[in-house]
Amino acid sequence: MANIALIIAGGSGARMHQDIPKQFLTVNERPVIIYTLDAFQRHPEIDEIDVVCIDGWESVLRAYASQFNITKLKYIVPGGSNGQSSIRNGLFELEKHHQADDIVLIHDAIRPMVSAEIISDCIVTTKKHGNAVTVIPCAEAMMETEDGSCSTGSYPRERLKRTQTPQAFRLGSICDLHRRALDAGITNSVASCTLMIEMGEQVFFSSGSEKNIKLTTLDDIDIFKALLAAKRSDWLK
């Protein structure tokens, strides 16, 4: 049974307002996507890495993978019109080459600080329950709003989890879910976990981290740089 990392790098990163996709931005002389790929490259339980890549950047990705010794990279798959279709493209390609019981960990290319512990717990939970969604507790007070500018109600935070990636599944099960979703006319679910819920399925939680940030804005790049600096100083007690 194989553990496959499917890295989703199909987005253009419009909210970052940069000239190149955010997953290819360079931070400390390394592209963001290389930090992400390297986390799975180094993990002993990951057998293969595949990437859903934004159109036109495939050769750049191959060159970076060669330069930074990402030897587990195998397939590069074209992205789709949205996140759900990009993930589906990747999964349906993997289905041609792997067994239904293999585990696929779907991960955002722009979450470069994913740790070995997060990956391991995701795999363990999937082996136990059939799927795993990486989550962290909701620490803030949560306000309900109708118009986005004011609130007259709150929601109990202990009933909420903040989702991250990776989100892992048995390959056959998640491919079947995507086919059923297409038949049901569901084409733009925001994440694999939301697609599961929309299709009436139960999801199970694995442990994430506040450090497992998603690089969406320029502020996130600043936080990422600070986390990298802190990681280099881990030996300081």
Side-chain angles (χ1 to χ4, degrees), residues 143-153:
M143 296 285 101
E144 296 174 343
T145 181
E146 296 292 331
D147 61 4
S149 63
C150 65
S151 175
T152 57

Side-chain angles (χ1 to χ4, degrees), residues 11-231:
S12 62
R15 283 174 288 183
M16 197 77 78
H17 305 295
Q18 300 300 300
D19 294 331
I20 67 173
K22 56 191 171 182
Q23 58 270 33
F24 289 100
L25 290 174
T26 298
V27 176
N28 294 355
E29 300 181 354
R30 297 176 86 198
V32 165
I33 193 169
I34 290 299
Y35 289 96
T36 307
L37 296 179
D38 192 55
F40 291 92
Q41 173 73 29
R42 291 173 179 272
H43 198 287
E45 292 185 81
I46 296 298
D47 301 296
E48 177 181 313
I49 300 170
D50 304 293
V51 178
V52 178
C53 188
I54 187 169
D55 185 51
W57 288 82
E58 298 89 348
S59 60
V60 175
L61 176 59
R62 283 282 184 201
Y64 280 147
S66 177
Q67 179 183 354
F68 292 99
N69 204 32
I70 307 298
T71 59
K72 291 180 182 179
L73 177 62
K74 192 161 187 182
Y75 301 110
I76 298 176
V77 185
S81 58
N82 58 30
Q84 182 178 330
S85 61
S86 287
I87 292 170
R88 184 173 64 244
N89 286 356
L91 291 170
F92 285 4
E93 180 62 32
L94 293 187
E95 195 176 33
K96 300 174 187 175
H97 311 286
H98 292 280
Q99 303 300 311
D101 279 348
D102 289 345
I103 291 174
V104 56
L105 294 88
I106 303 168
H107 186 70
D108 299 322
I110 50 172
R111 287 190 189 270
M113 293 295 291
V114 61
S115 67
E117 292 80 10
I118 289 172
I119 295 169
S120 294
D121 196 48
C122 198
I123 292 170
V124 167
T125 303
T126 305
K127 286 180 176 178
K128 184 176 181 180
H129 296 293
N131 67 65
V133 175
T134 303
V135 301
I136 57 175
C138 189
E140 299 85 1
M142 303 305 296
M143 296 285 101
E144 296 174 343
T145 181
E146 296 292 331
D147 61 4
S149 63
C150 65
S151 175
T152 57
S154 63
Y155 195 88
R157 64 189 179 190
E158 63 272 12
R159 296 190 61 193
L160 297 173
K161 294 288 187 183
R162 294 161 56 196
T163 65
Q164 301 180 334
T165 63
Q167 299 181 9
F169 309 87
R170 299 286 184 186
L171 180 58
S173 296
I174 190 65
C175 286
D176 179 63
L177 183 86
H178 274 271
R179 277 187 279 269
R180 289 191 286 119
L182 282 177
D183 289 342
I186 298 172
T187 59
N188 196 21
S189 196
V190 297
S192 298
C193 58
T194 58
L195 186 62
M196 287 279 287
I197 299 300
E198 289 176 63
M199 293 300 295
E201 302 290 338
Q202 186 177 36
V203 297
F204 294 86
F205 298 148
S206 60
S207 297
S209 168
E210 291 281 1
K211 294 178 182 178
N212 186 24
I213 61 169
K214 187 176 183 180
L215 305 185
T216 304
T217 67
L218 290 176
D219 284 349
D220 297 326
I221 295 288
D222 292 336
I223 295 168
F224 177 40
K225 288 179 178 177
L227 288 169
L228 286 174
K231 190 174 182 180

